Amino acid sequence: MYPAQFDYRRAGSVDEALGLLQEHEDAKLMAGGHSLIPMMKLRLAQPPVVIDIGRLDELKGISEAGGGVRVGALTTHADIAASDILAASCPVLAEAAGHIGDAQVRNRGTIGGNIAHADPGSDLPPVLVLLGASVHLQSPSGARSVAAADFFQDLLMTDVGEDEILTHVDVPARNAGAGAAYLKFEHPASGYAVVGAAASVTVQHGRCTAAGLVVGGVGAVPTAVDVSSLIGADLSDDAIATAASGLDTEDPLGDIFASGDYRVHVGKVYGKRALAAARDRA
Amino acid sequence: MAGVLGTSIKRREDPALITGRGKYTDDLLVEGMAHAAIVRSPYAHARIRGIDTSAAKTYPGVVAVLTARDVAAAGIPGMVPVGWLLPDLKTPAHPMIAADTVRHVGDAVAVVVAEDRYVARDAAERVAVDYEPLDAVADVVAALEDGAPAVHDDAPGNVAFDWEIGEKDPVDAAFAQAAHTVELDLRNNRLIPHAIEPRAALASYDSSTGVMTIHMTSQNPHVHRLLMTLASLGMPEHKVRIVAPEVGGGFGSKIHHYADEAIVGLCSLKLDRPVKWTATRTETNLTDAHGRDHSTHCAMAFDGDGRITGLRVDTKAAMGAYLSTFAPAVPTYLYGTLMSGQYDIPAIHCHVTGVFTHTAPVDAYRGAGRPEATFVVERLMHLAGEATGLGPIEVRKRNFVPADAFPYQTQVALAYDSGNYGPAMDRALEMIGYDDLCREQASRRGNGNGNGRRQMGIGFSSYIEACGLAPSAVVGSLGAQAGQWESADVRVHPTGSVTVYTGSSSHGQGHETTFSQIVADRLGVAPEAVEVIHGDTDLVQFGMGTYGSRSAAVGGSAIAGSVDKIIEKGKKIAAHLLEAAAEDLEYEDGSFRVAGSPDRALGLGDVALQAYLAHNYPDDLEPGLSATTFYDPANFTYPFGTHVCVVEVDTETGSIELLRYAAVDDVGNVINPMIVDGQLHGGLAQGIGQALWENAVYDDSGQLVSGSLMDYALPKIHNLIPFELDRTTTPCPHNPLGVKGVGEAGAIASPPAVVNAVVDALKPFGVTHIDMPLTPEKVWRAVNAD
Ligand SMILES: Cc1cc2nc3c(=O)[nH]c(=O)nc-3n(C[C@H](O)[C@H](O)[C@H](O)COP(=O)(O)OP(=O)(O)OC[C@H]3O[C@@H](n4cnc5c(N)ncnc54)[C@H](O)[C@@H]3O)c2cc1C
């Protein structure tokens, strides 16, 4: 497959990348290239200029910050999956990253590219929404952050402005007594999630004090399910199933592999199973 | 060399292939080479009102843009022919480049030649084609309905052919008197071959010699040369050389003669310079001949003892927009003739309608007709196990052709030469631990809560295959426009090493290894002393190629024939040198010996040297030590076996997990067990892929919705499980090696084994059939259907 002609520029710093973005209309940033290049090869994307930010070390890495964890935008899925810091403080993000594609994809693909691309079948968005993560963006006029729940706007559409670069993602510290799980119903061709269910449950003194469920793949953006009925409840399988059955999407996605109705059904089943797994880990 | 046959020696092909040194067509670079990009129709059906090539022609780096007008101006036939004719077959014209009408998405309308392939692509986007879109029909059933859009004006009702085999009246009578009947409406899903290497061609015409050399992805270079010269380029055969370098898989898709390679040839001819084209994955998906795509009604009748009394099959088989090379043969002589399966069926009638649709052509794909037939028979046998109360094993055993009934004449033309079906099934049952599985299944069925969500099913498939289509006179009488023999030229060099020239052109199977084993065994030399040459029309005299699991049985037998001739001639030379009578000579372990006098012996190399020196030599003998054989088999060969699949179905989501897969195959004598196992593994992956994942889907407007690997689900390693393989051995009685064939067995046997297992798992839910692929949603809907 042969992309249309384009110019290639490599940025040496975030500032330089921001400058190049200003300079070239319709330019595209390239991180791991694992979503952008396939689109260009199919000629679905024909950017005149590609700005390679893949070597910006300042945007790579995982560190503890402000009680939570900071993940640089250019951190690869493989590094997230293998991170000791995340294993200790936010294992569900590592778990989800470990489900992405295959080893090559995980070695190239980045968290920033993954969420900036915002494929509805991506594994990371529902997890970041579940965790209450914030996404940090920088433009020539300054930096800002947005809650993951507000970041995803529609199919392949996010809050990233034309002049902005996503710099990092902050994940808040997890509650004591919290368990979380990510379960993926994989598409047999693409390997993306047909449905990905991210759930968390906090149990303190034998009582459920917090619970969350976010399902990806069913709607254009991650769908949060109101599972507050579990708070104070006994977390029985029945209670969990009832809570997960609250999944509702007005206009579910559908394709030749899985219709909208079926996705919603699987979302409920996987939501239930993810909640049960989170309970067992809490 | 004793002990080399039946041994898993390593594939000599692999060091180059796995270190990236194999040279495929796209790896070839020729001085002055230009690149072609083919402009394809985005519509399934449209009239071409005009083509404006000016923007493309003036695009920097473009060498030429050709359309149907240039084909006409070149004065060449410009057609893509069909190579198998049935009675009353409609053969609408298939121009290399569409002139006024396009008939499927991907139909070629123009070609751009440029200095590099990126420029060629860019310029191809600048060819402005003015289309008038027309109604299209992609579905094989819809295409036969009244008022369906016509694919060709000269094929009324979109019918390409109407064919039948067997006798209808006895079948009707059997049904009238039946104690039990089972019936099924099924779709056999359309598949896209997906060889790892896409199709490619590098055509180099040299006007100073008038010779055209085309390197291309071919399973049968001589057949390609014939069709290319006769129907497309109109050049004399002796001026065209076709070379298949390394070929990265084909599964049938590289048998056929397509428009694209001919277009590349035309470009080179017109420009007098080398031109290369390599299909993108999208292009191969749109234009490679697809497989299967049947809609079938079938039914079986039984007497009170559970013996089959009749089989009735009515199939609508998609041909696609044009008749591909062997397309008409696939759902007829490779399908209807297989309907007896492993069973003694007294009355069979099979009716097939070949149907034009606005889609890519459909032609032979691994198994070609035989998987479709096996699916019909083995799905019905599963239902019969239920209907008769005999269960899946007894109903099969009761109907197997008995071991003492061979040769067995079926009601559908084929005469099975040999077979012994019971032991293969018994071995499969033993391997799988059938009784334990039944207990496990019963406990899951009994368990209404918790575990009951995960049901287990066991599915069987007792299949027959017919490989090595033959003999030529018979296939000719059935419509083949080619012979079905194979040639081998074996040359012993003066030092005793050997070169084999075979018409069986390999595309990944390991012919070089297995053919060297055949020679090593028969001639008593080391396999390393044998070189195997194939895939070049200038080097090999003529050959029919590799498909239909024919290479060992037909190609290998031709080699054996030549080796035998060499031994015969060698005996005459040795007798002369040893001053003995040729009748008294024996050949063993690479030496000619006088019987009874072990010290009077000469090695192959000694004899070969004398054959080339011809100094001290029999008067009535020509010098040299080589022999050519054109081997035309007496019959097909008939591999068989029983496969058992065990699955777990998550009834809450419809997901299927493979738990076990055991296969007992009888492929006759085995030359290289590792290669045989490898063929089975690949075939099983493809057959399981068909059953569970693969599906070529066109929407109502004729767009290929599953045109990329993001939507078309090929089996991946993590979807599969270790296969448990074993064999029984019933040698083929009519070829010198006793071999049958294994290339397609896995793909033929496995789809019904998988589907039967899933249907068995869902028996408590009243499910009797689900069409392939068994996607989770379909399974879930079946579970929840009222
Ligand atoms: C074969 C294959 C299988 C895959 N399977 C999965 C899967 O199972 N699950 C899954 O979730 N994903 C999957 N992916 C996608 C993979 O995770 C990608 O890596 C990811 O979606 C994009 O990350 P990237 O770094 O490659 O981004 P790129 O392709 O480089 O960029 C993607 C988009 O994001 C923009 N962008 C990138 N970085 C930034 C930034 N810092 N700031 C602003 N914009 C930015 C780019 O401009 C572009 O528009 C798969 C991809 C492939 C090729």
Side-chain angles (χ1 to χ4, degrees), chain A residues 28-38 53 59 73-74 77 99-102 105 108-119 121-125 137 160 164-167 184 190-193, chain B residues 710:
Chain A
K28 273 284 185 191
L29 297 173
M30 180 174 78
H34 266 44
S35 291
L36 180 63
I37 303 278
I53 55 170
L59 298 185
L74 286 171
H77 308 318
H99 279 293
I100 293 176
D102 51 29
V105 174
R108 291 292 307 175
T110 65
I111 184 171
N114 188 288
I115 65 176
H117 184 64
D119 191 291
S122 276
D123 293 296
L124 301 182
L137 301 157
V160 183
E164 285 183 313
I165 289 182
L166 200 165
T167 53
K184 176 175 185 174
S190 72
Y192 278 82
Chain B
M710 293 295 277

Side-chain angles (χ1 to χ4, degrees), chain A residues 7-280:
Chain A
D7 277 339
Y8 171 88
R9 304 295 295 273
R10 186 191 300 150
S13 67
V14 172
D15 286 342
E16 190 186 348
L18 288 171
L20 287 167
L21 264 183
Q22 296 274 153
E23 204 177 308
H24 301 284
E25 208 181 328
D26 298 328
K28 273 284 185 191
L29 297 173
M30 180 174 78
H34 266 44
S35 291
L36 180 63
I37 303 278
M39 301 265 284
M40 289 171 62
K41 284 179 164 181
L42 289 169
R43 299 194 173 214
L44 294 173
Q46 305 201 358
V49 180
V50 167
I51 304 166
D52 186 354
I53 55 170
R55 300 193 192 184
L56 299 185
D57 287 338
E58 52 194 297
L59 298 185
K60 288 180 190 165
I62 300 166
S63 55
E64 288 169 8
V69 181
R70 173 160 298 183
V71 184
L74 286 171
T75 312
T76 63
H77 308 318
D79 285 342
I80 294 173
S83 160
D84 291 336
I85 296 176
L86 287 172
S89 55
C90 189
V92 69
L93 184 57
E95 181 179 21
H99 279 293
I100 293 176
D102 51 29
Q104 289 103 312
V105 174
R106 291 192 292 275
N107 283 335
R108 291 292 307 175
T110 65
I111 184 171
N114 188 288
I115 65 176
H117 184 64
D119 191 291
S122 276
D123 293 296
L124 301 182
V127 179
L128 295 176
V129 173
L130 174 85
L131 295 171
S134 55
V135 180
H136 294 257
L137 301 157
Q138 193 163 338
S139 71
S141 50
R144 67 182 180 107
S145 80
V146 54
D150 301 323
F151 177 79
F152 300 102
Q153 297 180 332
D154 205 338
L155 271 188
L156 307 180
M157 272 177 56
T158 69
D159 194 28
V160 183
E162 274 185 8
D163 59 349
E164 285 183 313
I165 289 182
L166 200 165
T167 53
H168 60 277
V169 175
D170 277 342
V171 182
R174 70 166 166 172
N175 302 331
Y182 177 73
L183 283 188
K184 176 175 185 174
F185 188 90
E186 192 183 296
H187 190 288
S190 72
Y192 278 82
V194 176
V195 166
S200 67
V201 168
T202 306
V203 179
Q204 277 165 342
H205 313 298
R207 278 187 62 244
C208 173
T209 56
L213 173 62
V214 181
V215 181
V218 175
V221 298
T223 309
V225 184
D226 179 1
V227 292
S228 56
S229 64
L230 292 176
I231 296 172
D234 62 356
L235 292 181
S236 66
D237 287 346
D238 283 348
I240 282 176
T242 306
S245 69
L247 171 67
D248 189 18
T249 312
E250 263 182 30
D251 200 8
L253 300 173
D255 63 11
I256 52 170
F257 177 71
S259 69
D261 290 351
Y262 178 68
R263 277 171 200 258
V264 171
H265 167 74
V266 174
K268 291 174 182 172
V269 174
Y270 271 60
K272 174 180 80 174
R273 294 181 186 177
L275 280 168
R279 171 197 64 198
D280 296 344

Side-chain angles (χ1 to χ4, degrees), chain B residues 499-694:
Chain B
T499 301
V500 174
Y501 298 80
T502 170
S504 277
S505 172
S506 168
H507 50 288
Q509 291 82 357
H511 289 7
E512 294 163 34
T513 303
T514 46
F515 288 172
S516 77
Q517 285 178 270
I518 292 173
V519 174
D521 171 71
R522 245 178 153 74
L523 205 53
V525 298
E528 296 74 33
V530 183
E531 192 69 14
V532 178
I533 308 282
H534 60 83
D536 185 335
T537 58
D538 267 12
L539 293 179
V540 176
Q541 55 280 18
F542 203 94
M544 302 313 301
T546 290
Y547 47 83
S549 306
R550 69 193 301 275
S551 297
V554 191
S557 293
I559 293 170
S562 287
V563 170
D564 291 349
K565 289 178 190 169
I566 284 168
I567 293 171
E568 280 317 302
K569 183 169 181 185
K571 280 183 182 170
K572 290 183 190 156
I573 302 167
H576 175 84
L577 296 168
L578 294 168
E579 297 177 349
E583 306 80 65
D584 293 340
L585 283 199
E586 293 169 344
Y587 188 70
E588 216 186 311
D589 287 340
S591 296
F592 296 92
R593 289 190 188 130
V594 180
S597 326
D599 48 334
R600 290 173 69 200
L602 280 172
L604 177 67
D606 302 326
V607 170
L609 185 62
Q610 295 309 320
Y612 287 97
L613 293 175
H615 297 165
N616 178 9
Y617 205 67
D619 290 339
D620 53 352
L621 212 57
E622 290 177 7
L625 197 56
S626 70
T628 299
T629 301
F630 287 73
Y631 173 78
D632 199 354
N635 192 353
F636 291 68
T637 66
Y638 299 96
F640 61 86
T642 288
H643 290 203
V644 192
C645 178
V646 185
V647 298
E648 180 175 272
V649 182
D650 179 340
T651 56
E652 203 172 14
T653 60
S655 302
I656 294 163
E657 196 189 328
L658 294 169
L659 297 181
R660 303 270 303 278
Y661 197 100
V664 179
D665 297 282
D666 192 318
V667 299
N669 290 336
V670 167
I671 298 167
N672 184 316
M674 176 191 71
I675 286 179
V676 166
D677 287 351
Q679 287 292 329
L680 280 162
H681 279 239
L684 289 173
Q686 274 172 309
I688 293 170
Q690 166 164 31
L692 295 181
W693 303 294
E694 296 189 39

Side-chain angles (χ1 to χ4, degrees), chain B residues 64-133:
Chain B
V65 182
L66 309 185
T67 65
R69 281 181 197 209
D70 299 282
V71 178
I76 61 173
M79 289 293 157
V80 182
V82 57
W84 193 297
L85 302 178
L86 300 173
D88 300 325
L89 180 74
K90 297 285 184 299
T91 55
H94 180 187
M96 264 164 61
I97 301 183
D100 45 30
T101 307
V102 288
R103 295 189 170 83
H104 69 97
V105 174
D107 217 352
V109 294
V111 56
V112 175
V113 183
E115 297 296 347
D116 85 47
R117 50 176 66 172
Y118 292 87
V119 170
R121 287 268 145 199
D122 288 346
E125 290 193 344
R126 287 165 173 78
V127 173
V129 185
D130 182 9
Y131 292 103
E132 178 190 338

Side-chain angles (χ1 to χ4, degrees), chain B residues 463-489:
Chain B
Y463 74 99
I464 186 99
E465 170 169 12
C467 346
L469 203 61
S472 298
V474 171
V475 296
S477 72
L478 302 180
Q481 304 297 297
Q484 287 296 338
W485 43 265
E486 193 50 271
S487 77
D489 181 9

